[in-house]
């Protein structure tokens, strides 16, 4: 069953616009009527969400209950998540997009059925509440030393260009690829500069219209952490145990 918030807000949009269920369905490219959506029998597709944005400036994050901003300015490029996913309890979950899945992500960005194939989980931490998060696997070495190949980044969906900070990392979904970079807006231009941390990779510019989504990296999951097992703390602990054995007369 569709999320109750989505049903309520979808119905609210239709009524505020003054359309019948049949009229609204025709505008959005839905067969026959919107009745099944408003009854929770049919889920909203990515295409319908996109049409709501294109035709009526409806913010998808507002539609799914993740934002209080109902309308977006569509004169500028929209970088918001095209699909918001929820778990069986209608709470936002975190989808994991590995390197293989990332190859198909740009082409399936509006296909809700494609997202259901991806693994998902929930983090019961306050930092991951009241926002849409997604996990992406790092591919390549362009963000060394901060991000290694096969690390994972957890990133929050952003709503507009005003949120872009040149000192942060972003997952940028282009029309044909998913990359992790720093990003700088170029004043007076419809272009942005993508910057790697690894000096072997030169910065490059792209058109903003080539960007489908932008996710702000908030944390990472890394594996294979190297450590010296004979560090000072461990040696001190071992010595303390030996001293204790001697005092107790234990061999």
């Amino acid at each position: 069953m569709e999320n109750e918030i989505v049903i309520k807000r979808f119905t609210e949009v239709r009524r505020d616009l003054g359309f019948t269920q049949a009229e609204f369905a025709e505008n959005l490219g839905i067969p026959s009527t919107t009745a099944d959506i408003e009854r929770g029998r049919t889920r909203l597709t990515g295409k319908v969400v996109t049409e709501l944005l294109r035709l009526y400036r409806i913010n998808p994050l507002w539609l799914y209950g993740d934002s209080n901003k109902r309308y977006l300015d569509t004169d500028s490029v929209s970088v918001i998540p095209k699909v918001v996913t929820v778990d069986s309890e209608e709470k936002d979950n975190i989808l994991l997009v590995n390197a293989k899945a990332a190859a198909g992500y740009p082409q399936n960005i509006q296909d809700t059925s494609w997202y259901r194939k991806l693994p998902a989980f929930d983090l019961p931490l306050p930092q991951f509440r009241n926002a849409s998060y997604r996990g992406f696997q790092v591919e390549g070495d362009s963000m060394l030393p901060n991000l290694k190949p096969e690390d994972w980044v957890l990133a929050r969906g952003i709503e507009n260009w005003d949120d872009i900070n040149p000192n942060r990392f972003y997952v940028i979904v282009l029309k044909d690829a998913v990359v992790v970079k720093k990003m700088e807006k170029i004043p007076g231009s419809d272009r942005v500069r993508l910057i790697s941390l690894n000096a072997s990779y030169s910065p490059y510019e792209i058109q903003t219209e080539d960007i489908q989504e932008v996710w702000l990296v908030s944390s990472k999951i890394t594996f294979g952490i190297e450590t010296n097992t004979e560090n000072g703390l461990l040696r001190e602990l071992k010595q303390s145990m030996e001293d204790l054995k001697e005092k107790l007369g234990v061999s």
Side-chain angles (χ1 to χ4, degrees):
M1 183 175 177
E2 186 63 89
N3 187 327
E4 290 183 6
I5 293 178
V6 178
I7 296 170
K8 178 178 180 295
R9 292 189 169 181
F10 178 83
T11 305
E12 180 182 320
V13 169
R14 176 183 66 79
R15 288 174 176 169
D16 288 350
L17 291 170
F19 292 121
T20 65
Q21 291 178 330
E23 290 170 340
F24 204 36
E26 182 178 359
N27 292 349
L28 297 174
I30 299 170
S32 185
T33 174
T34 61
D36 283 346
I37 292 176
E38 295 183 30
R39 291 170 184 156
R41 295 176 181 172
T42 303
R43 288 184 176 273
L44 283 184
T45 65
K47 185 177 186 307
V48 171
V49 174
T50 301
E51 286 299 290
L52 286 169
L53 172 61
R54 186 180 70 85
L55 296 174
Y56 309 113
R57 299 184 296 114
I58 300 301
N59 178 1
L61 294 182
W62 172 84
L63 190 66
Y64 285 94
D66 290 332
S67 173
N68 294 321
K69 185 178 181 181
R70 178 169 176 172
Y71 298 104
L72 289 178
D73 179 9
T74 53
D75 291 336
S76 60
V77 175
S78 171
V79 295
I80 59 176
K82 302 301 183 287
V83 172
V84 177
T85 61
V86 295
D87 60 20
S88 58
E89 297 180 355
E90 307 299 344
K91 297 178 181 178
D92 282 2
N93 56 20
I94 302 176
L95 288 183
L96 294 178
V97 183
N98 63 23
K100 182 179 179 180
Y105 188 100
Q107 294 76 33
N108 293 284
I109 200 165
Q110 296 178 13
D111 184 357
T112 54
S113 63
W114 184 83
Y115 287 86
R116 298 191 193 108
K117 302 174 184 177
L118 300 178
F121 73 104
D122 174 63
L123 280 177
L125 300 173
Q127 293 91 336
F128 293 91
R129 296 301 180 207
N130 304 317
S132 293
Y133 281 86
R134 196 151 292 167
F136 295 88
Q137 190 175 32
V138 176
E139 188 173 14
D141 60 358
S142 67
M143 296 302 283
L144 287 174
N146 295 56
L147 299 174
K148 299 183 302 182
E150 299 187 3
D151 277 355
W152 287 82
V153 294
L154 301 182
R156 174 174 59 82
I158 65 173
E159 295 189 24
N160 56 61
W161 289 107
D162 293 336
D163 296 331
I164 301 297
N165 183 328
N167 297 316
R168 302 295 297 272
F169 298 166
Y170 295 92
V171 176
I172 302 139
V173 182
L174 304 172
K175 291 182 178 179
D176 59 356
V178 178
V179 298
V180 183
K181 303 288 180 188
K182 294 179 70 175
M183 182 162 54
E184 291 181 353
K185 293 181 286 186
I186 301 176
S189 168
D190 59 354
R191 301 175 69 81
V192 294
R193 182 176 296 110
L194 302 186
I195 304 169
S196 302
L197 292 184
N198 187 337
S200 300
Y201 296 84
S202 300
Y204 60 95
E205 296 180 6
I206 61 170
Q207 297 281 349
T208 55
E209 65 182 21
D210 291 332
I211 298 176
Q212 300 197 76
E213 291 179 348
V214 175
W215 299 78
L216 170 65
V217 174
S218 62
S219 55
K220 73 174 181 177
I221 301 172
T222 190
F223 302 93
I225 298 176
E226 296 179 359
T227 184
N228 181 0
T229 57
E230 288 295 322
N231 59 38
L233 180 61
L234 184 56
R235 287 197 300 270
E236 184 178 335
L237 178 60
K238 285 182 176 180
Q239 187 59 52
S240 296
M241 292 298 293
E242 291 301 323
D243 292 345
L244 180 59
K245 285 181 180 180
E246 286 184 9
K247 290 179 180 179
L248 295 175
V250 179
S251 59

